[in-house]
């Protein structure tokens, strides 16, 4: 697990604006701040990808540079994953893309919600590097259900989970569930999860704040 806000950086400004009730009502800024955090976390995780040497011809000669050699697939969890997806795609602009839905369904006469996955569009993940994006990691059940739903698409060589805000409890749950080849990149972690499965103090419901 790598928590981005452990050190002071401009990322703090973006997460503060996401949390602030007086600023988060500006939907465009809210989405763009999630996108900007996706860009920052992409840069951080790019340092852990594998690289290969490529020679390019410049107008004045030849230059050798290292470029990522992994085949990347960015998968986001609808809805709130969309702006985070865009931020990651801004940097890994030639990646393949997957989209998957997950939502909390509250069955009648049953107080416990379940996570339903109803939509999936994805290329093969076999041997590739998967970046799975969802700005909120509350109980951790969306991430874990989505990973199960992706299993028929093949086994990724490496999985990077990217999130903006998480709870300690959700992260502990994921640690017990997740394959060894995975790493979580997250902007900030709150200690508390309330009885409804909401992160406290958190920032509210990212899907609603993005899209109404
Ligand atoms: C929210 C959020 C995550 C999930 C996190 O989605 O965007 O996907 O809950 O909670 P968990 O870790 O407890 O599973 P929601 O169901 O509100 O859907 P939305 O993105 O469409 O608003």
């Amino acid at each position: 697990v790598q928590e981005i806000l452990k050190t002071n950086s401009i990322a703090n400004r973006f997460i503060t604006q996401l949390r602030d009730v007086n600023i988060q009502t500006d939907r465009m800024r809210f989405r763009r701040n999630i996108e900007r955090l996706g860009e920052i976390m992409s840069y951080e995780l790019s340092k852990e990808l594998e690289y290969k040497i490529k020679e390019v011809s410049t107008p004045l000669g030849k230059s050798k540079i290292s470029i990522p050699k992994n085949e990347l697939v960015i998968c986001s969890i609808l809805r709130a994953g969309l702006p985070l997806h865009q931020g990651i795609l801004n940097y890994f602009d030639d990646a393949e893309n997957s989209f998957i839905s997950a939502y909390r369904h509250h069955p009648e006469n049953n107080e416990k919600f379940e996570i339903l996955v109803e939509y999936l569009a994805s290329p093969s993940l076999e041997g590739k590097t998967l970046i799975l994006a969802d700005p909120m990691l509350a109980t951790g059940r969306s991430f874990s259900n989505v990973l199960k739903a992706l299993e028929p698409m093949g086994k990724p060589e490496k999985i990077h989970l990217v999130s903006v805000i998480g709870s300690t409890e959700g992260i502990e749950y994921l640690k017990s569930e997740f394959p060894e080849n995975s790493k979580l990149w997250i902007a900030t972690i709150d200690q508390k999860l309330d009885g409804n499965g909401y992160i406290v103090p958190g920032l509210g419901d990212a899907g609603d704040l993005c899209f109404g």
Side-chain angles (χ1 to χ4, degrees):
V1 176
Q2 188 144 331
E3 192 181 350
I4 303 294
L5 295 202
K6 278 254 163 95
T7 52
N8 283 337
S9 78
I10 192 62
N12 291 33
R13 177 173 150 83
F14 306 149
I15 190 82
T16 302
Q17 291 186 352
L18 288 174
R19 286 186 190 270
D20 189 330
V21 285
N22 296 313
I23 299 177
Q24 61 175 203
T25 46
D26 176 351
R27 275 188 204 143
M28 188 168 72
R29 178 168 289 276
F30 190 86
R31 291 192 301 269
R32 182 69 184 109
N33 278 330
I34 291 182
E35 187 179 334
R36 294 199 279 195
L37 288 164
E39 290 169 350
I40 289 170
M41 287 189 281
S42 296
Y43 179 69
E44 291 298 326
L45 82 79
S46 77
K47 297 172 189 170
E48 295 200 0
L49 297 176
E50 287 179 42
Y51 285 77
K52 62 182 176 193
I53 301 293
K54 183 182 156 98
E55 190 175 80
V56 290
S57 298
T58 76
L60 297 176
K62 303 243 183 244
S63 171
K64 282 192 174 143
I65 49 164
S66 59
I67 56 164
K69 76 171 182 190
N70 312 59
E71 282 187 276
L72 286 182
V73 182
I74 306 166
C75 179
S76 55
I77 305 177
L78 301 172
R79 293 174 300 168
L82 287 176
L84 193 56
H85 190 116
Q86 187 58 53
I88 299 166
L89 190 58
N90 288 346
Y91 278 24
F92 300 116
D93 52 63
D94 58 353
E96 292 183 283
N97 297 272
S98 301
F99 297 93
I100 189 163
S101 70
Y103 72 97
R104 290 180 173 187
H105 172 64
H106 295 267
E108 281 175 37
N109 309 323
N110 184 349
E111 286 185 2
K112 268 187 89 176
F113 63 86
E114 53 184 344
I115 310 284
L116 294 184
V117 172
E118 288 183 342
Y119 175 82
L120 166 64
S122 177
S124 165
L125 301 177
E126 190 65 41
K128 297 178 185 170
T129 297
L130 171 65
I131 300 179
L132 189 56
D134 189 334
M136 304 202 77
L137 193 175
T139 63
R141 283 166 58 199
S142 296
F143 265 127
S144 91
N145 282 30
V146 158
L147 268 186
K148 282 192 189 78
L150 287 172
E151 277 173 8
M153 307 315 297
K155 192 174 183 322
E157 191 183 298
K158 177 87 190 167
I159 303 171
H160 295 279
L161 306 168
V162 176
S163 190
V164 168
I165 186 164
S167 72
T168 314
E169 188 181 321
I171 290 166
E172 286 309 311
Y173 171 74
L174 278 190
K175 276 187 190 164
S176 66
E177 286 262 311
F178 264 44
E180 276 180 15
N181 62 345
S182 59
K183 176 161 180 172
L184 171 68
W185 303 81
I186 190 157
T188 190
I189 300 170
D190 285 355
Q191 301 305 317
K192 206 173 153 200
L193 200 59
D194 74 9
N196 296 317
Y198 296 130
I199 302 167
V200 180
L203 50 77
D205 184 320
D208 289 354
L209 288 161
C210 285
F211 300 116

